[in-house]
Amino acid sequence: MLIRFSVRNYKSFKDEQRISLTASKIVRHKSHVIEVGARRILKSGLVFGANAGGKSNLIRAVNFSKKIVLNGLDTLDISKSHFRIDNSYFEKPGVFEYRIYTNDHEYSYGIAISYAKQEIISEWLYRVEKSGSELCIYNRNVDDNGNSTVESDIISSNNKESQRLSIYLDDFGIGISDVFRKKSILSDLASRGKATDGYFAEIYSVYLWFERLIIIYPGTKYNMINELGLDFSRKSFFQGIMNYFYTGIKSIESQEQEFDFDKLFEDFPHAQAEKIKANFYKQTANGPINIRINDQFVKLHRDNSGNVVYNKLILNHGNPEDMFEYTDESDGTKRLFDLVPILYDVGKDSVILIDEIDRSLHTKLSQKFLEMFYENNEDNTCQLIATTHDSNLLDLDLVRQDEIWFVERDESHASQLYSLNKFKERFDKKIDKEYLLGRYGAIPIFNDMLLTEGNDADE
């Protein structure tokens, strides 16, 4: 579970900003809180704010740091990811810090990068003990001269484990190569030191926590959409949800179709198209392969006759003689197809971040979707963090005060992140109205003077 996340010097975040999922003393919605160790952790966080306030940058910050942790800096273009309003911040580190709970332990993990040098300059992993003390599993730092050092307080009774850890950490110390300057220790130790127990197992569990982070943007598509009709349990669940939300869909089916290579590659030179087709035929001989066409993923495979085919989702709206395709559906229905897997597929320990959860959805549907999330995960350690513009979700009969956060830009154009708890509102307060009146900030501000001046100029 995510306990808190902080970010500094990334896009619109200038100085350190933090979101916490630690529950306060509020007694309402007890099912929204789960106890892990000595902690009481919230199952959700909703982030509100005006356009360009920084809501999406919070989700991007998590995704950005996740990619660095898992894949290193070589795979990313970080040149314009710093706080660009102040040129001096290109020389300052971007810092991302997590407090998480996984595998029955609490950990503090952080990573800092240099935008100017395009390398990792600090990384640390501590286990937080029940006493409140912290055990340094490793702490990596690079000084101003580029010298790298790694420290660790681990003393293992297993000599072989200690020797392996020491050897692996030495790669990130004095004489570090350019390759290791751009990759995280966490990913390196997870790949080289997989184990079922001991410190390597702990390190691997933290790595898996990052690997399992689910991040959904407005354009994110459900990869299994065309395979829905082949899984009876999943199909039944989706059909029930689509029917409940009155989308007009009576049933979900799957239809096997031969893949039209000629249509897909009609704009390619003939020789190039034939080469690509031959490559697809060769690959599918060894088993199914996934490819993306426009905004959909399809799984190509061979049928009994050796033809390359795929399963196509078709939807029955009441006339089985004229079935609908996914592309025929409204934006709201498509968005539902992308979000419903959260209610079905995610594991009990999943952490899900959604940018603009309300996109293309009616406000009542967004409210009900959140209710279903809470109901489906009453006994799970699953968390949902989402940004939204929908002020109707500011309902204390739906969420707790400590689950509500705001983001707004200050006079320096930097995003500020703060909790509704700051205002100490009562549980019976109509906070949606207060929000629109500007009590909590984080709403659009219109410059009527500029509009007036523009109209005067036309006259």
Side-chain angles (χ1 to χ4, degrees):
M1 298 189 78
L2 178 64
I3 299 172
R4 68 171 179 258
F5 169 71
S6 65
V7 55
R8 181 168 80 244
N9 190 19
Y10 174 77
K11 293 198 179 287
S12 62
F13 293 107
K14 181 182 180 183
D15 302 319
E16 182 180 302
Q17 298 298 310
R18 175 183 296 183
I19 184 170
S20 172
L21 278 297
T22 301
S24 63
K25 295 180 180 180
I26 294 168
V27 297
R28 299 192 80 205
H29 302 300
K30 292 182 179 180
S31 63
H32 293 199
V33 178
I34 191 159
E35 295 186 8
V36 291
R39 296 274 192 178
R40 296 175 65 248
I41 308 300
L42 296 167
K43 290 187 178 180
S44 72
L46 296 183
V47 184
F48 296 81
N51 294 96
K55 299 187 306 300
S56 295
N57 284 341
L58 179 65
I59 306 296
R60 292 188 186 112
V62 174
N63 194 36
F64 182 77
S65 52
K66 172 189 174 180
K67 289 180 177 179
I68 295 172
V69 171
L70 298 182
N71 306 315
L73 287 175
D74 275 339
T75 60
L76 294 172
D77 178 7
I78 67 170
S79 58
K80 294 184 178 181
S81 296
H82 60 288
F83 182 72
R84 295 167 62 191
I85 306 301
D86 185 335
N87 290 334
S88 69
Y89 274 72
F90 182 66
E91 299 293 336
K92 296 181 179 182
V95 185
F96 310 84
E97 186 170 7
Y98 294 81
R99 183 63 67 99
I100 69 172
Y101 189 90
T102 185
N103 200 30
D104 297 325
H105 289 293
E106 182 176 329
Y107 296 94
S108 173
Y109 176 83
I111 195 163
I113 64 170
S114 167
Y115 293 107
K117 297 180 180 178
Q118 298 196 6
E119 66 178 19
I120 296 169
I121 56 175
S122 184
E123 183 187 359
W124 60 96
L125 177 62
Y126 287 80
R127 185 213 292 158
V128 182
E129 308 290 11
K130 293 180 180 179
S131 63
S133 63
E134 296 185 347
L135 172 69
C136 175
I137 297 177
Y138 65 79
N139 188 2
R140 161 194 193 181
N141 282 292
V142 178
D143 64 22
D144 292 339
N145 297 318
N147 299 314
S148 180
T149 57
V150 183
E151 300 174 346
S152 176
D153 291 339
I154 288 180
I155 301 175
S156 176
S157 58
N158 185 327
N159 290 332
K160 185 177 180 180
E161 181 181 53
S162 293
Q163 290 174 358
R164 289 176 67 202
L165 182 62
S166 177
I167 291 170
Y168 296 159
L169 291 180
D170 280 347
D171 287 334
F172 293 87
I174 298 173
I176 182 174
S177 68
D178 289 342
V179 172
F180 284 96
R181 287 183 184 276
K182 294 180 181 294
K183 71 185 303 187
S184 72
I185 292 179
L186 188 62
S187 65
D188 186 70
L189 296 185
S191 64
R192 293 204 284 178
K194 289 181 181 178
T196 57
D197 56 15
Y199 289 108
F200 282 111
E202 281 196 66
I203 293 166
Y204 189 61
S205 71
V206 175
Y207 175 84
L208 285 180
W209 187 89
F210 280 97
E211 194 172 63
R212 291 169 179 164
L213 265 177
I214 299 170
I215 299 172
I216 301 174
Y217 291 110
T220 301
K221 299 300 178 183
Y222 179 44
N223 290 350
M224 297 290 292
I225 190 73
N226 281 298
E227 305 299 312
L228 268 180
L230 302 178
D231 185 325
F232 179 79
S233 176
R234 183 179 282 108
K235 180 177 74 169
S236 298
F237 186 85
F238 271 73
Q239 284 178 173
I241 295 293
M242 294 301 164
N243 189 263
Y244 179 81
F245 285 122
Y246 206 65
T247 62
I249 297 173
K250 303 299 181 183
S251 66
I252 295 172
E253 308 294 340
S254 181
Q255 186 179 82
E256 191 174 80
Q257 293 191 357
E258 186 170 353
F259 190 71
D260 191 343
F261 286 102
D262 293 331
K263 184 177 181 180
L264 181 63
F265 303 117
E266 60 185 356
D267 295 329
F268 284 61
H270 179 73
Q272 184 180 2
E274 290 300 313
K275 185 176 181 179
I276 296 173
K277 286 165 60 176
N279 186 46
F280 276 128
Y281 273 108
K282 182 179 179 180
Q283 290 185 61
T284 54
N286 299 319
I289 61 171
N290 293 317
I291 68 168
R292 181 166 183 162
I293 303 175
N294 298 325
D295 61 351
Q296 294 186 55
F297 282 86
V298 297
K299 181 181 287 187
L300 301 183
H301 59 281
R302 296 281 189 95
D303 64 11
N304 295 331
S305 301
N307 299 314
V308 177
V309 296
Y310 70 101
N311 300 306
K312 185 176 184 178
L313 179 75
I314 54 174
L315 306 162
N316 180 1
H317 277 260
N319 181 6
E321 296 179 0
D322 190 359
M323 303 287 273
F324 283 58
E325 296 184 12
Y326 170 81
T327 53
D328 295 326
E329 299 298 332
S330 70
D331 288 342
T333 299
K334 291 176 182 176
R335 182 63 166 169
L336 268 180
F337 271 111
D338 299 331
L339 295 180
V340 170
I342 294 170
L343 305 176
Y344 183 87
D345 285 316
V346 297
K348 67 176 183 178
D349 296 323
S350 298
V351 179
I352 307 146
L353 294 97
I354 305 176
D355 190 21
E356 296 186 23
I357 191 172
D358 57 312
R359 185 186 68 81
S360 300
L361 300 182
H362 189 278
T363 185
K364 297 294 288 183
L365 198 155
S366 299
Q367 290 174 329
K368 190 61 185 177
F369 185 87
L370 283 175
E371 289 177 8
M372 294 176 76
F373 171 80
Y374 297 131
E375 292 168 2
N376 281 28
N377 293 284
E378 187 170 353
D379 300 319
N380 291 338
T381 55
C382 186
Q383 289 175 297
L384 174 64
I385 301 163
T387 70
T388 177
H389 293 110
D390 191 347
S391 61
N392 289 310
L393 298 182
L394 286 166
D395 182 352
L396 297 183
D397 287 330
L398 176 67
V399 294
R400 296 163 50 103
Q401 289 98 314
D402 49 6
E403 293 177 291
I404 295 173
W405 290 78
F406 300 103
V407 178
E408 73 171 357
R409 293 213 189 205
D410 61 20
E411 292 182 354
S412 70
H413 300 283
S415 294
Q416 303 294 320
L417 181 63
Y418 52 96
S419 170
L420 176 65
N421 265 359
K422 168 184 174 182
F423 299 91
K424 304 185 185 301
E425 296 291 22
R426 288 172 48 87
F427 71 90
D428 56 354
K429 186 84 170 183
K430 295 296 182 184
I431 58 173
D432 56 336
K433 294 181 180 178
E434 295 292 325
Y435 170 65
L436 293 176
L437 289 172
R439 170 169 167 73
Y440 313 121
I443 59 172
I445 298 175
F446 308 109
N447 194 330
D448 293 331
M449 184 64 71
L450 286 178
L451 185 61
T452 302
E453 289 174 355
N455 289 338
D456 290 344
D458 290 338
E459 294 176 0

